[in-house]
Amino acid sequence: PRVCVVGSGPAGFYTAQHILKHHGGAQVDIYEKLPVPFGLVRFGVAPDHPEVKNVINTFTQTAHSERCAYYGNVTVGRDITVAELRQAYHAVVLSYGAEDNRVLGIPGENLSGVYSAREFVGWYNGLPENRDLKPDLSCETALILGHGNVALDIARILLSPLDLLRKTDITGGSLAALACSKVKRVWLVGRRGPLQVAFTIKELREMINLPGARPVLNPADFTGLENAVKDAPRPRKRLTELMIKTALEKPGEKAVEVQAAAPREWGLKFQRSPQEVLPTADGRRARGIRMALTRLEGSGDSAKAIPTGDVEELECGLVLSSIGYRSLPLDPVVPFDTQRGIIPNSLGRVEGVPGLYCSGWVKRGPTGVIITTMNDSFETAQSVLEDLQVGTLDVSTSREGFGAVESILCSRGVCPVSFSDWEKIDAAEVARGKAAGKPREKIVDPQEMLQLIG
């Protein structure tokens, strides 16, 4: 059986890995629109979290299997259609993730100084489409809308001492911009309360312990929460206890001195919903944000934020919206639920289209960490294996796989990049990094990548 996977992030690689491992004859081809593989492991994981990127070693092993091939620099839906892939393969798995962000839908959202978390993260992680972002870091106060791990990542990158960032694979351009940054205060704002934050304890602890930055949490936000959290699940309980401790505990004398000397600060603001980004006098730039104060209806994760009628304005020259990523429809022949931003499916089988599957964020929505995506992708791969076993997928007719695709791509002037081509780019990045004393210096221009591999 010939299987094709669209997207080379964790979802794509884990799907391929599982099929190859449990079917001794399957041939899996992975297509990727960029020349370089690994999706959000390369472009989403924070530069100062190198341990999370170790999964790249597993993915590389998969790519080296003689029954696996990687074709980068191929945009499915543009260079080749899903219908053409379905002609060439017995099964097609869509694992292309979430390439867009949710919008705030408020006035002033398009002012200069307002960015989505997605593009800001893409900028410091070297995602080609965000390489020219040039965010304005000349203000003292930045405001991040959202209480998830991505919001904490951005706050940490904005406030980290440069000598910490210099040792990471952050791009040279963003490091230079951060070196000139005037940002010294970051507020993380959420519509709901402390019991509804979406970040995890590891990320919060890292933020609290960040050298040169002190946490500013309002004790009033946390009084009485010990009782509310008594019977909560353990992760939620520990996370809340850490926030309470940080907000209410009087630091010792030594800590007081350290904190007083900290040149930078960050804090969490709760029960505030953005209403409008306020413009400067010339109407061009962001100078602040107006927020509706909210009250919570219901409790726990299902609590809803209802505006109270009161508003508050906060000054900030940089607004980053971190309210979630969003998947986009890829091709008219693939059903898509625009409301939920996913491909309608059952255990990864795309509804109404036999032989078509999906895994990862485009299957279940943009939530969870790499391990969540791994389990999700194994589930989809299992559906493919079962359909091969019971004959739902007819393998009696031979399919040409890449042979058929190659001639189509060739006729359209598209040159795929192989995995060994990627390894040349990889080696060049590592060599450039070594010269600068960092793990790698990412190449951010696809044209430069293609020139490098000739």
Side-chain angles (χ1 to χ4, degrees), residues 74-138:
V74 177
T75 302
V76 173
R78 185 192 71 193
D79 300 335
I80 184 118
T81 66
V82 171
E84 287 165 333
L85 288 176
R86 292 184 69 215
Q87 284 282 292
Y89 292 90
H90 294 108
V92 173
V93 188
L94 303 174
S95 313
Y96 61 86
E99 343 183 50
D100 197 16
N101 49 275
R102 290 172 55 193
V103 294
L104 292 163
I106 59 171
E109 182 165 14
N110 298 323
L111 288 169
S112 167
V114 183
Y115 308 92
S116 71
R118 198 199 144 75
E119 54 187 346
F120 194 76
V121 170
W123 168 70
Y124 64 65
N125 273 334
L127 185 62
E129 66 187 76
N130 302 128
R131 67 183 189 272
D132 300 323
L133 193 67
K134 300 194 177 35
D136 185 343
L137 306 176
S138 64

Side-chain angles (χ1 to χ4, degrees), residues 10 40 149-150 198 200 361 364-374 376:
L40 279 190
N149 280 342
V150 175
T200 45
W361 282 5
R364 68 166 195 279
T367 56
V369 289
I370 292 175
I371 192 93
T372 334
T373 294
M374 180 184 83
D376 168 274

